[in-house]
Amino acid sequence: MPLLSTAVALPKIGSMYPPRLLTFRGGLNNSVSDEFIADHELSAARNYIPDIFNAGVIIKREGVTQQSSVQTEAATSVHSGKHANYFSTSTTIRNFAGTSLASGLASTTEPDWTTFANNDIYVNGTVAPQTSTNGTTFAALGGAPPTFKYIENFNNFLFGAGHSGGILRWADLGTVATWTAGNSYTITNDQLNPITGLQKFHNVLVVFCQNTFHHITGFNTPDIGINFSNFEEGCTSHRSIVRTPFGLFWWTNSGLALSRDGFSVEYPAIKKIPNTLGGLNKAYYSLVHGVWNQRNKRVEFFVHNGSAQTTVNMRIDYYYEEDTFWVHDGKGVETGASGFAVISGEHRVFVGSAGTVTPYLFRENADVATDDGTPISAYAETKRDAEPGGYVYLKRSRNLTLSTVLVGNATLDLGVYVDNSDTLAKTWTLSLTSAGGFILDVDLLDVGILGAGVASKETSIGFNRRYNKLKYRIFDSNALRTRLRSITQRGWLVAA
């Protein structure tokens, strides 16, 4: 975001300096110190997202609501099939209401799914692949296939892997139950580089290994083989592979990877949030899972922080079109499974509890601001701002103005860091109110009212303090979703 004025002459000592406008839409940037990030970026943030339906505004993330009945096991996968929508726990397959469709599947936390030739197919690496042709019952897939960990359909073939190191298997053309012995291809003989996932992308089947990935092509068995290999990067978790209109995303030992074309690899998280990546626990990268949120045009990855535990406790969102990252915590983030389903014609994201204490399948819900009734605490911190005049100019603040858009009433805490301090110098609790607006060119009052909460409202605070640099912190623990637009600071120069 540009300043209020992009070409400003520095005023004389004792005169007012041009107002500074700090916005929030640029997302988290902890790749450099907080003096050097852009005016629209945040040095720290939690549980805020850009509101893509209101330009220039950020809003508290969506909450979750219960979709299923209470379960006794943690959720492990979500799949939108041909016949039904499913989620799995460690030993069962269930419909979205929570009703068991298959049980006794041997404990696993990393199953996989595909839909092919009227079959919704589930694999978990420990039992025979399971299939449903009606959405209500499951049975073992015919033909005695291996106990695959990974399953995918491509070019009218059903492919499976993970049963034996670097070997790829497939059923006969157009079938799911004829597993001819010769339908096999060795991707790699390296025991330290086993296959870790399968995903069709454009006109190839991408076979991910621990340290590499490869393209498989072919429309009949004799022609199936590798036509491209990338030895730069592999994949840590098949559940992290996310296909989007912008490219293929997956999780690596270096964090988030993106391939726009299926060949070259980029690492957008390294350039923006390396400190966040440094706080994650690589020991659990095999459990990272992700989902494409079509409505908000973002990929969501559920990962672990540095604590030694198996409960997912952080979500990292990446907005490709805006090139911004946002991080989240809370009940709605501590999930063991994620996926999407089309419900009533709308693309919806579903997540399943990772723990075993009253676990549910949840739906991410843009209409609620709580995680199943638990308020979401959110905060955002701006850059440490030294302009105008830079660090050498001593300035005196006159007032701070927070611009918001409300639905209902809310209470926010606004704090200020002075100069290089990491301790808040002053905190205010602001009771914000809604502001209504009128549509332009309407002649009569009460006609064409936009309604309360749709217009931005500015709340000013007197803050008379000398400083070289200022930094702001906003904190909100209410069950509301206040839209934040900007902070403006005004004051005058004291000395050069």
Side-chain angles (χ1 to χ4, degrees), residues 2 6 22 60 92 103 137 180 183 190 200 229 242 249 289 333 350 396 409 426:
T6 57
L22 300 178
K60 190 181 294 184
T92 69
S103 60
T137 59
T180 301
N183 295 356
D190 186 351
K200 57 186 174 184
S229 294
V242 181
F249 294 85
H289 53 98
V333 170
F350 294 83
R396 183 175 289 276
N409 299 320
K426 180 69 176 178

Side-chain angles (χ1 to χ4, degrees), residues 433-455:
T433 57
S434 299
F438 290 90
I439 300 175
L440 293 177
D441 300 323
V442 174
D443 296 329
L444 302 176
L445 293 177
D446 300 325
V447 176
I449 296 176
L450 295 177
V454 297

Side-chain angles (χ1 to χ4, degrees), residues 56-358:
V57 175
I58 66 171
I59 190 171
K60 190 181 294 184
R61 71 165 172 83
E62 306 95 329
V64 295
T65 54
Q66 292 177 17
Q67 177 71 28
S68 73
S69 58
V70 65
Q71 303 297 302
T72 58
E73 297 177 332
T76 56
S77 70
V78 177
H79 179 64
S80 182
K82 176 179 180 180
H83 302 290
N85 296 313
Y86 313 94
F87 76 99
S88 65
T89 68
S90 56
T91 64
T92 69
I93 298 173
R94 299 176 179 271
N95 61 25
F96 271 19
T99 303
S100 178
L101 308 179
S103 60
L105 299 181
S107 181
T108 182
T109 58
E110 306 167 59
D112 199 12
W113 290 84
T114 195
T115 295
F116 176 65
N118 201 43
N119 290 257
D120 293 331
I121 303 170
Y122 165 96
V123 298
N124 68 7
T126 60
V127 299
Q130 301 291 303
T131 180
S132 178
T133 57
N134 56 20
T136 58
T137 59
F138 278 81
L141 193 64
T147 53
F148 295 125
K149 290 183 180 179
Y150 319 116
I151 196 85
E152 182 65 291
N153 74 84
F154 173 70
N155 280 359
N156 205 26
F157 285 101
L158 179 63
F159 287 88
H163 59 292
S164 180
I167 296 177
L168 182 70
R169 290 284 310 275
W170 59 92
D172 284 359
L173 182 68
T175 73
V176 298
T178 305
W179 297 86
T180 301
N183 295 356
S184 176
Y185 192 97
T186 300
I187 302 295
T188 173
N189 283 314
D190 186 351
Q191 297 302 310
L192 299 178
N193 188 38
I195 295 174
T196 55
L198 307 174
Q199 179 64 67
K200 57 186 174 184
F201 183 64
H202 294 329
N203 61 342
V204 301
L205 174 68
V206 182
V207 179
F208 286 96
C209 297
Q210 189 164 323
N211 304 311
T212 60
F213 66 87
H214 312 268
H215 290 181
I216 291 289
T217 59
F219 290 91
N220 57 74
T221 290
D223 294 333
I224 290 176
I226 295 176
N227 74 347
F228 171 80
S229 294
N230 183 303
F231 295 93
E232 175 186 355
E233 192 58 85
C235 177
T236 64
S237 166
H238 73 278
R239 296 191 303 158
S240 73
I241 305 168
V242 181
R243 188 177 67 238
T244 80
F246 307 115
L248 195 62
F249 294 85
W250 69 95
W251 203 261
T252 75
N253 284 320
S254 301
L256 177 63
L258 160 65
S259 182
R260 305 169 198 251
D261 56 10
F263 296 91
S264 58
V265 181
E266 304 170 39
Y267 302 90
I270 291 178
K271 69 178 181 180
K272 283 292 186 76
I273 56 168
N275 285 348
T276 302
L277 295 180
L280 302 178
N281 192 336
K282 289 189 176 182
Y284 296 107
Y285 272 9
S286 65
L287 299 180
V288 173
H289 53 98
V291 64
W292 165 240
N293 188 317
Q294 178 179 303
R295 182 176 185 270
N296 284 282
K297 296 185 179 181
R298 69 182 183 229
V299 285
E300 304 174 7
F301 288 93
F302 298 81
V303 298
H304 301 267
N305 66 17
S307 59
Q309 58 185 30
T310 57
T311 300
V312 177
N313 44 33
M314 181 182 293
R315 192 182 94 201
I316 299 175
D317 293 350
Y318 179 59
Y319 289 76
Y320 171 84
E321 291 181 303
E322 301 191 7
D323 192 26
T324 61
F325 283 90
W326 306 81
V327 298
H328 315 285
D329 60 11
K331 182 177 180 180
V333 170
E334 295 176 352
T335 59
S338 58
F340 74 89
V342 177
I343 304 295
S344 301
E346 185 175 358
H347 185 283
R348 296 277 193 168
V349 172
F350 294 83
V351 294
S353 301
T356 57
V357 179
T358 61

Side-chain angles (χ1 to χ4, degrees), residues 347-423:
H347 185 283
R348 296 277 193 168
V349 172
F350 294 83
V351 294
S353 301
T356 57
V357 179
T358 61
Y360 294 90
L361 179 70
F362 293 106
R363 174 170 61 90
E364 288 187 4
N365 192 342
D367 298 323
V368 302
T370 64
D371 283 338
D372 193 27
T374 302
I376 301 169
S377 293
Y379 64 83
E381 296 190 356
T382 69
K383 70 177 295 182
R384 198 175 298 267
D385 187 48
E387 298 296 337
Y391 307 142
V392 298
Y393 279 79
L394 184 63
K395 297 162 282 268
R396 183 175 289 276
S397 175
R398 178 166 61 95
N399 64 45
L400 316 172
T401 301
L402 176 64
S403 179
T404 58
V405 180
L406 303 179
V407 177
N409 299 320
T411 300
L412 292 178
D413 289 333
L414 173 64
V416 174
Y417 300 97
V418 176
D419 294 336
N420 293 320
S421 175
D422 290 327
T423 302

